[in-house]
Amino acid sequence: MSLILALQGGPRAVIQAALAAFAARRRVEGHRIAGLVEVTDATDGPGCAGHALQDLRSGRRYPIAQDLGRHSDSCHLDGDGVATACQAVTNALADGCDVLVLAKFGKLESTRSGLVDAFGRAIERGIPILTAVAPIYTAGWVRFAGDLATFARPDAAEIEDWWQTVRPDLTSPPSEGLLAGTPLGPRPPRPVNATRDHGLAVDPH
């Protein structure tokens, strides 16, 4: 059993849609969902203009792209926006959660910022995590997650197969600290088509 499933092998929009669809299915089943997916608004333009993280519990959107002007093709993440979104997720985890969905492990997370605190809190509590990892950050992800994670394509059947191995029993009280103090193992999970970028809105540099 892998506590964490990381999606690779598809365009950003396809992967984010898979994350959102998974969360919707779990909500219908009565599971407590927490997390974020990446969305774009109607002002989407060059670079990563218009990108935001949407809270799956409250629906609130947190802008994550710095405004560099209408003619800029560059993408610079707004670390403050990501940090605010991360705090909302950690608050939701403290309130109780059965599964965590996080938009990505990317540039900020590979330097131990961004959403990394939300990842860590969920791991401490033994909460299953569904996320995405751009191939360029696979090595950093492996160092962070080790044996706790595996990879899959953004395919509903593959995701559901994983969920059946980690889903909590809704008739039993939630456990706390299932994996607290468990070291992150060094053995790497096998990435899916690691040479192919799935297009998450991150600066590859």
Side-chain angles (χ1 to χ4, degrees):
M1 179 193 76
S2 295
L3 184 72
I4 310 170
L5 185 67
L7 304 183
Q8 286 188 336
R12 177 192 59 81
V14 171
I15 287 181
Q16 295 303 311
L19 296 176
F22 170 84
R25 292 194 297 271
R26 303 292 80 82
R27 189 176 293 112
V28 168
E29 294 171 351
H31 291 283
R32 298 169 299 172
I33 308 298
L36 304 157
V37 293
E38 189 173 325
V39 296
T40 57
D41 60 29
T43 63
D44 188 23
C48 54
H51 287 263
L53 292 174
Q54 184 167 17
D55 191 311
L56 289 168
R57 184 168 289 189
S58 69
R60 179 177 175 181
R61 293 190 175 193
Y62 301 88
I64 60 171
Q66 296 179 11
D67 185 358
L68 301 178
R70 60 181 298 184
H71 299 297
S72 175
D73 291 328
S74 299
C75 178
H76 289 276
L77 293 175
D78 179 0
D80 290 341
V82 178
T84 302
C86 183
Q87 184 59 56
V89 172
T90 57
N91 291 343
L93 289 172
D95 290 340
C97 173
D98 297 317
V99 60
L100 177 65
V101 177
L102 290 176
K104 61 189 174 184
F105 181 97
K107 179 180 180 179
L108 296 178
E109 291 74 27
S110 66
T111 61
R112 300 300 185 265
S113 59
L115 302 177
V116 76
D117 283 350
F119 279 104
R121 296 288 180 85
I123 290 170
E124 289 174 357
R125 291 166 169 77
I127 296 171
I129 304 170
L130 180 65
T131 189
V133 180
I136 193 174
Y137 299 112
T138 296
W141 170 250
V142 168
R143 287 192 296 271
F144 176 77
D147 284 345
L148 296 180
T150 191
F151 288 92
R153 299 182 185 278
D155 175 80
E158 290 188 36
I159 296 170
E160 290 302 307
D161 285 346
W162 164 78
W163 174 243
Q164 295 306 315
T165 69
V166 298
R167 61 182 300 167
D169 182 355
L170 292 180
T171 64
S172 301
S175 60
E176 292 291 337
L178 176 63
L179 296 178
T182 302
L184 298 178
R187 188 176 64 200
R190 185 166 66 89
V192 172
N193 197 6
T195 60
R196 181 177 178 185
D197 190 347
H198 61 42
L200 287 175
V202 293
D203 183 348
H205 301 295

